[in-house]
Amino acid sequence: MIIKNVELETVCGVTSTFPENDKMEVAFAGKSNVGKSSLINAIMNRKSLARTSSQPGKTQTINYYNVNDTFYLVDLPGYGYANANVSVKAKWGKMIERYLHTSKMLYAVFLLIDIRHEPSANDKQMYRWMTEQGYFPIIIATKVDKLKRSQIAKHVKMIKEGLEMPKEALVIPFSSTSKQGREEIYALLDDMIESFYGDEEDETI
């Protein structure tokens, strides 16, 4: 995949009506401070497309990025932000839930987990909830550059066991610093685009 153009097209808050898009949507979810904004900047090949912050809970909206005028990368609010009050966390959770329930163009969900630690209770809850909704999240294990190379396989296994994932389920170790894992994500996105639009192309032949 070559990123030719990216545009932040729509920003939705807790009371917003979600857009009715005509292109494939791919959502990215993860706990606050898991490195989601850094990952989005890395895979979109931009330095500050998504705002990064050392302060967790920065993304409080659902952001739709139009990529190559082909698909939407949908950035969901970070969950599990400890310093947010209960009512704010509930609103963010409902917003994520409403999006996953109502989007007609959502094709896949990437769930980001910090590779250094066992999945948190929030991570497990989000993974379980997504699978119950019929989505099988692709796990991106972030911050892999913080580990020694010899530790990676052990930590990937820890994530799979913590989330009770099937053995064949995909976990992509990723580093926004070294860009490790970026080509794997590009390949997946290319496959998704081909699969999503393939039926439409067949109908027009």
Side-chain angles (χ1 to χ4, degrees):
M1 170 172 286
I2 298 172
I3 306 299
K4 296 176 183 175
N5 52 73
V6 187
E7 181 184 352
L8 176 57
E9 192 168 288
T10 310
V11 176
C12 293
V14 289
T15 59
S16 301
T17 301
F18 298 141
E20 292 190 14
N21 292 320
D22 60 356
K23 299 177 182 67
M24 179 183 81
E25 295 175 8
V26 177
F28 283 72
K31 192 170 65 174
S32 295
N33 218 23
V34 75
K36 185 154 53 64
S37 295
S38 296
L39 176 138
I40 290 171
N41 288 332
I43 62 175
M44 292 297 103
N45 220 14
R46 302 291 189 275
K47 286 187 177 178
S48 56
L49 182 69
R51 286 182 299 172
T52 59
S53 174
S54 58
Q55 177 187 355
K58 191 73 175 174
T59 305
Q60 301 177 18
T61 53
I62 294 180
N63 300 330
Y64 292 76
Y65 296 94
N66 185 333
V67 183
N68 292 345
D69 208 29
T70 302
F71 73 98
Y72 286 98
L73 187 159
V74 183
D75 181 14
L76 301 176
Y79 55 81
Y81 176 40
N83 290 342
N85 65 45
V86 174
S87 64
V88 168
K89 283 196 279 192
K91 286 177 182 176
W92 291 352
K94 289 290 183 187
M95 182 164 59
I96 294 171
E97 189 174 325
R98 184 162 61 93
Y99 168 74
L100 293 173
H101 265 309
T102 61
S103 172
K104 295 175 183 176
M105 304 302 282
L106 179 60
Y107 188 72
V109 179
F110 288 86
L111 180 60
L112 279 62
I113 307 284
D114 188 328
I115 196 169
R116 298 172 297 174
H117 311 296
E118 288 190 25
S120 68
N122 282 316
D123 291 329
K124 293 175 183 179
Q125 183 180 5
M126 180 61 74
Y127 181 81
R128 194 180 310 119
W129 187 83
M130 286 178 175
T131 56
E132 287 170 357
Q133 302 309 307
Y135 295 101
F136 295 93
I138 298 158
I139 304 300
I140 301 179
T142 61
K143 306 188 181 185
V144 70
D145 52 283
K146 305 291 186 184
L147 295 180
K148 294 177 182 176
R149 186 169 292 186
S150 59
Q151 296 175 301
I152 295 174
K154 176 185 173 184
H155 282 249
V156 166
K157 183 181 178 186
M158 177 180 72
I159 289 172
K160 283 190 171 186
E161 290 177 350
L163 296 178
E164 298 180 2
M165 299 173 68
K167 285 186 177 180
E168 69 277 7
L170 191 58
V171 174
I172 301 174
F174 181 85
S175 166
S176 59
T177 305
S178 70
K179 308 300 187 291
Q180 178 182 341
R182 183 167 68 171
E183 293 303 319
E184 289 177 74
I185 295 171
Y186 283 162
L188 280 173
L189 291 171
D190 282 334
D191 287 345
M192 289 174 189
I193 289 166
E194 184 177 344
S195 177
F196 186 86
Y197 294 111
D199 293 340
E200 292 182 12
E201 290 173 1
D202 292 343
E203 289 171 8
T204 59
I205 294 173

